[in-house]
């Protein structure tokens, strides 16, 4: 057995030189160091005790991870205590307050203790914990090495590839040149054919540019989602632009086109209206069409231009189109509106409403009302994983669509084979009446779910991942057994070396984070963590998110494992082209992690460049949770003679 894992009894051992104590005035305003020593000894004893209790788990850790696993256990023991008062006393004495001890927890404490013994003139110190404690620089080296093995470098930028990246090599090249070092492919979307093209594009662009880029692929995991909903009406609405007073600014511009044409409006067109037949080809510029729309109102359309795709028309009124409407010009030539795709179905909810969540194929629908508007049957929606019904209890919370709608379970009607559905009372919605659509996330933050982390689809996708990816991102983990199950599958597929990132996105996973890390360390493959802040905020509460992400960064640092800061980083910049002040600050905070993940968006290339610049700048100011003092420009520009001698000195006089 390695000596680093051998439990060492807590005992006294000579380490001091019996030096003379410093004079009392040196400690003016500070706690007598001799009174601080017992508190440090208590903490060290707690570390040694937890190390002894965790010895079977530590012995099973892969040799390369054992010093890190031991350091993690020591850190967990330290954080089981409130040491804020002790930290203030240590800082008053000019010593380490243990606030940056993550890289080498026990060594830092032992050295502070030895200094205190010397300050107080004691002849004794303490031999605490492992025979070969981890040195601070050795801990930093382990963290750097684990980061290189998994991600390639500190300051990694992971980018979620959009589907169009499969056919756009220029986009991949632009992302690489902007600073992307890991390309992320989410297996919850698209299919193996699209993934293969993405992989080929990344490998080819990386070779052509000489910029290394690893490929990470997300398993979808057992994500709870809403089931299908009855289709909405086949309706197309188009409005002209008006000012705040309702005055017309620009007419609505409509492309009347044959049904085989794509329905996505081209630039400068507000909507594409599908038409049937060939009569539209007989119309010419300047013709005026009239008819009644779906609202029952007369509408007039002017033909502005003939295009290869169809007719460009304008209308000064809001128009509601449904299939079968007919509009006729002055010469009797008509246009018949063709097939309009149905609008996505949605269930409309507001606080106080009841919602049935059901298994099976029953499509979702709105509540059924009687002639007086009273509810005769509550709204219904399906659930993709109804097996969770057996794990929930009355009174527990349920959250939909990334927190937009929330409720509480008020009843669990039983069926022949157990819980058949859930009855939920809606308690919160972002608007007075919110619309819940199909395929939206469901979170059960109060429930202890027994779902396996690998679904049958994940097992199929994992075979592709093992053949093509450098990293697998494991979704919706809840316990150490989930981590072991993933590694067993990777061994079966012949990829025990594949890097693994544990996505922490449930409350159970956050509560079990040290255990998940120790389980991952049982295997020698590269290992890291992703802070999936979107789901964590829902599961643990938005008000706790800042605290949670801070705790996770520190725990991962104590384990010497790289951490990815994820979810909605620079989201406004990626989606709309302009960042908010808050998200710039958030991205700068994320630079303390070894990597930051960006989601896709129309402005993703510019977002990568901005993030790369932020990360490079912040690396000069911060290493993990430790500030670093580079030369400050504002300090370099300071000159004593520039200080005004009077209050008017900085004004115009």
């Amino acid at each position: 057995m390695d000596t680093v894992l051998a439990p060492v009894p807590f005992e006294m051992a000579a380490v001091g030189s019996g030096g003379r104590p410093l004079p009392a005035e040196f400690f003016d305003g500070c706690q007598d160091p001799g009174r601080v020593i017992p508190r440090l000894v208590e903490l060290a004893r707690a570390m040694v005790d937890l190390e002894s209790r965790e010895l079977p788990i530590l012995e099973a850790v892969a040799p390369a991870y054992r010093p890190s696993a031991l350091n993690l256990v020591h850190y967990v023991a330290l954080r089981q205590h409130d040491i804020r008062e002790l930290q203030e006393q240590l800082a008053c004495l000019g010593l380490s307050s243990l606030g940056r001890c993550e890289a080498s927890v026990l060594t830092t404490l032992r050295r502070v203790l030895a200094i205190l013994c010397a300050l107080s003139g004691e002849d004794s110190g303490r031999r605490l914990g492992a025979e070969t404690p981890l040195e601070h620089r050795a801990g930093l080296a382990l963290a750097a090495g684990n980061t290189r093995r998994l991600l390639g470098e500190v300051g990694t930028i992971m980018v979620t590839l959009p589907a169009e990246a499969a056919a756009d090599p220029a986009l991949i090249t632009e992302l690489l040149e902007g600073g992307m070092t890991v390309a992320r492919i989410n297996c919850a979307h698209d299919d193996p054919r699209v993934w293969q093209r993405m992989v080929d594009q990344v490998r080819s662009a990386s070779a052509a540019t000489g910029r290394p880029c690893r490929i990470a692929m997300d398993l979808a995991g057992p994500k709870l989602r809403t089931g299908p909903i009855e289709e909405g009406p086949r309706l197309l609405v188009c409005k002209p632009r008006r000012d705040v007073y309702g005055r017309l600014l620009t007419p609505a511009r409509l492309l009347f086109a044959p049904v085989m044409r794509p329905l996505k409006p081209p630039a400068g067109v507000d909507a594409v209206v599908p038409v049937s037949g060939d009569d539209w080809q007989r119309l010419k510029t300047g013709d005026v069409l009239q008819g009644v729309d779906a609202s029952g109102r007369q509408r007039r359309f002017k033909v502005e231009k003939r295009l290869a795709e169809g007719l460009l028309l304008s209308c000064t009124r809001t128009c509601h189109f449904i299939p079968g409407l007919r509009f006729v010009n002055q010469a009797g030539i008509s246009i018949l509106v063709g097939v309009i795709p149905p609008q996505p179905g949605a269930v409309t909810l507001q606080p106080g409403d009841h919602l049935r969540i059901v298994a099976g194929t029953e499509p979702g629908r709105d509540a059924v009302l009687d002639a007086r508007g009273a509810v005769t049957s509550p709204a219904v929606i399906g659930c993709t994983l109804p097996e969770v019904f057996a794990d929930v209890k009355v009174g527990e919370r349920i959250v939909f669509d990334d927190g937009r709608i929330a409720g509480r379970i008020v009843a669990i009607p039983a069926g022949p084979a157990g819980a058949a559905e859930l009855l939920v009372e809606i308690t919160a919605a972002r608007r007075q009446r919110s619309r819940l659509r199909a395929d939206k996330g469901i979170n059960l933050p109060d429930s202890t779910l027994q779902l396996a982390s690998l679904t049958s689809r994940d097992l199929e996708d994992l075979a592709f991942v093992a053949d093509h990816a450098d990293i697998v991102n494991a979704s919706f983990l809840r316990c150490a057994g989930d981590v072991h199950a993933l590694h067993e599958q990777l061994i079966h597929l012949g990829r025990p070396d594949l890097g693994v990132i544990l996505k922490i996105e449930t409350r159970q996973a956050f509560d079990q984070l040290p255990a998940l890390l120790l389980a991952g360390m049982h295997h020698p493959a590269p290992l890291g963590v992703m802070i999936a802040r979107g789901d964590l905020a829902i599961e643990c509460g938005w008000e706790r998110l800042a605290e949670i992400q801070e705790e996770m960064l520190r725990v991962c640092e104590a384990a010497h494992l790289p951490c990815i800061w994820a979810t909605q980083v620079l989201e406004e910049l990626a989606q709309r082209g302009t960042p908010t002040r808050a998200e710039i600050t958030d991205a700068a905070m994320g630079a303390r992690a070894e990597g930051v993940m960006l989601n896709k968006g129309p402005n993703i290339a510019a977002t990568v460049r901005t993030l790369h610049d932020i990360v490079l700048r912040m690396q000069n100011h911060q290493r993990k949770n430790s500030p670093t003092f580079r030369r400050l420009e504002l300090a370099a520009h300071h000159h004593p003679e520039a200080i005004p001698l009077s209050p008017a000195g900085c004004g115009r006089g």
Side-chain angles (χ1 to χ4, degrees):
M1 179 171 56
D2 293 355
T3 56
V4 73
L5 297 180
V8 177
F10 185 87
E11 60 184 61
M12 302 292 292
V15 298
S17 60
R20 295 173 60 186
L22 292 169
E25 57 265 24
F26 179 83
F27 306 110
D28 186 31
C30 300
Q31 180 77 53
D32 179 353
R35 299 178 62 181
V36 177
I37 290 173
R39 183 71 173 118
L40 289 172
V41 171
E42 177 188 353
L43 291 173
R45 188 187 300 275
M47 294 182 197
V48 174
D49 289 347
L50 186 58
E51 176 188 332
S52 297
R53 293 198 301 272
E54 298 283 4
L55 192 60
I57 293 176
L58 292 170
E59 287 178 331
V61 166
Y65 282 127
R66 286 178 184 172
S68 301
L70 185 61
N71 193 63
L72 172 60
V73 168
H74 291 159
Y75 185 72
V76 170
L78 174 69
R79 296 308 302 268
Q80 289 173 347
H81 298 75
D82 187 338
I83 64 169
R84 287 175 290 179
E85 183 180 350
L86 172 63
Q87 287 181 296
E88 184 176 348
Q89 294 166 356
L90 291 172
C92 183
L93 291 165
L95 301 176
S96 167
S97 66
L98 306 179
R100 291 177 286 174
C101 70
E102 284 86 358
S104 52
V105 182
L106 187 55
T107 296
T108 302
L109 187 144
R110 290 175 64 175
R111 286 179 174 164
V112 171
L113 184 57
I115 293 170
L116 282 172
C117 289
L119 288 174
S120 61
E122 290 193 15
D123 290 330
S124 59
R126 273 80 178 164
R127 190 179 76 195
L128 310 171
E131 290 281 5
T132 55
L134 185 68
E135 294 292 333
H136 180 74
R137 291 191 178 184
L140 296 180
L142 284 171
N146 288 334
T147 298
R148 283 192 299 271
R149 287 204 308 143
L150 181 70
L151 303 175
E153 60 182 60
V154 175
T156 287
I157 296 178
M158 179 185 291
V159 181
T160 305
L161 297 182
E164 53 265 29
D168 189 355
L171 174 61
I172 302 293
T173 299
E174 191 174 5
L175 293 175
L176 287 171
E177 292 177 344
M180 177 179 73
T181 53
V182 177
R184 173 179 178 250
I185 299 172
N186 190 350
C187 294
H189 305 290
D190 305 312
D191 56 53
R193 291 176 298 174
V194 176
W195 306 338
Q196 181 68 64
R197 291 197 294 270
M198 288 181 179
V199 169
D200 293 342
Q201 296 283 17
V202 171
R203 301 295 191 207
S204 176
S206 177
T209 61
R211 295 177 180 269
C213 184
R214 303 192 180 189
I215 293 175
M217 299 188 70
D218 280 43
L219 300 178
K223 174 73 171 177
L224 276 71
R225 292 190 178 276
T226 54
I229 300 176
E230 291 179 351
E231 292 181 343
R234 294 180 178 271
L235 175 67
L236 179 64
V237 182
C238 192
K239 301 179 180 180
R241 289 184 59 218
R242 299 182 182 275
D243 64 16
V244 293
Y245 301 103
R247 295 174 300 201
L248 181 68
L249 293 175
T250 57
R253 292 169 62 83
L254 309 169
L255 178 63
F256 279 46
V259 293
M260 71 283 297
R261 300 292 183 183
L263 295 181
K264 182 178 180 180
V269 173
D270 297 307
V272 176
V273 181
V275 297
S276 297
D278 297 325
D279 284 351
W280 66 273
Q281 299 186 29
R282 299 167 55 196
L283 296 168
K284 58 183 182 296
T285 300
D287 279 355
V288 175
L289 296 166
Q290 297 187 67
V292 177
D293 77 347
S295 70
R297 298 180 175 90
Q298 282 284 339
R299 292 292 181 256
R300 290 167 54 89
F301 305 91
K302 181 180 179 181
V303 179
E304 301 288 348
K305 187 184 298 185
R306 288 180 58 89
L307 303 173
E309 298 89 351
L311 296 176
L312 183 64
L313 294 91
S314 62
C315 183
T316 60
R317 300 293 182 91
T318 298
C319 191
H320 296 71
F321 296 98
I322 58 175
L325 291 180
R326 187 179 295 275
F327 300 97
V328 184
N329 77 343
Q330 62 272 25
I333 301 173
S334 65
I335 284 184
L336 183 66
V337 177
V339 178
I340 295 176
Q343 292 187 344
V347 174
T348 305
L349 300 166
Q350 64 182 356
D353 286 350
H354 283 85
L355 173 67
R356 289 174 55 225
I357 303 178
V358 300
T361 58
E362 182 178 355
R365 56 163 176 78
D366 273 327
V368 178
L369 309 179
D370 62 17
R372 296 173 299 171
V375 176
T376 60
S377 177
V380 177
I381 202 162
C383 174
T384 57
L385 295 171
E387 54 264 41
V388 302
F389 293 176
D391 298 329
V392 302
K393 299 180 177 63
V394 170
E396 292 180 338
R397 291 174 296 155
I398 184 167
V399 183
F400 305 92
D401 194 9
D402 293 333
R404 291 177 176 83
I405 300 172
R408 193 168 296 277
I409 299 169
V410 295
I412 308 176
E421 63 179 71
L422 307 177
L423 183 62
V424 173
E425 181 181 357
I426 302 302
T427 58
R430 287 194 173 181
R431 293 192 296 270
Q432 187 63 19
R433 295 185 69 82
S434 294
R435 295 169 66 82
L436 180 58
R437 301 187 184 278
D439 200 36
K440 297 299 181 181
I442 301 175
N443 291 83
L444 295 160
D446 300 334
S447 308
T448 301
L449 305 181
Q450 304 300 320
L451 293 171
S453 63
L454 291 173
T455 66
S456 56
R457 174 182 171 178
D458 291 333
L459 294 176
E460 294 178 8
D461 294 344
L462 191 56
F464 182 95
V465 173
D467 284 340
H468 297 87
D470 305 295
I471 302 167
V472 57
N473 297 336
S475 302
F476 296 102
L477 303 161
R478 289 181 170 81
C479 63
D482 293 337
V483 180
H484 292 307
L486 173 62
H487 277 286
E488 287 174 5
Q489 289 298 321
L490 292 176
I491 292 170
H492 174 71
L493 293 168
R495 286 301 309 274
D497 60 319
L498 187 65
V500 173
I501 291 179
L502 310 178
K503 293 174 64 179
I504 307 302
E505 48 201 330
T506 67
R507 185 170 183 171
Q508 286 175 262
F510 172 71
D511 291 340
Q512 295 294 316
L513 180 58
L516 292 173
L517 298 183
L518 290 169
M521 290 178 177
H522 282 202
H523 310 273
L527 181 66
V529 167
M530 180 181 289
I531 309 176
R533 300 184 300 161
D535 281 290
L536 277 175
I538 297 166
E539 291 265 329
C540 301
W542 291 97
E543 67 281 359
R544 287 201 63 201
L545 180 59
E547 174 188 14
I548 284 170
Q549 61 195 27
E550 191 70 26
E551 290 184 24
M552 291 182 63
L553 284 172
R554 290 177 177 268
V555 168
C556 290
E557 185 174 3
H560 307 137
L561 294 175
C563 197
I564 306 292
W565 182 275
T567 312
Q568 290 187 318
V569 179
L570 297 177
E571 189 84 357
E572 285 294 311
L573 178 57
Q575 295 295 333
R576 296 174 178 83
T578 304
T580 64
R581 291 184 295 275
E583 69 181 15
I584 291 291
T585 303
D586 176 65
M589 290 286 289
R592 295 180 302 156
E594 284 75 14
V596 181
M597 191 191 87
L598 294 174
N599 281 323
K600 52 195 173 185
N603 302 295
I604 187 60
T607 306
V608 171
R609 292 193 296 270
T610 299
L611 179 60
H612 185 251
D613 183 64
I614 292 171
V615 170
L616 288 180
R617 291 175 184 274
M618 291 308 299
Q619 284 177 346
N620 292 322
H621 296 274
Q622 193 92 14
R623 192 203 64 77
K624 299 297 286 185
N625 68 311
S626 301
T628 57
F629 285 7
R630 71 158 176 84
R631 177 178 177 273
L632 276 184
E633 291 301 318
L634 67 87
H637 294 160
H638 171 73
H639 301 288
E641 61 270 20
I643 301 176
L645 299 178
S646 67
C650 58
R652 292 187 177 183

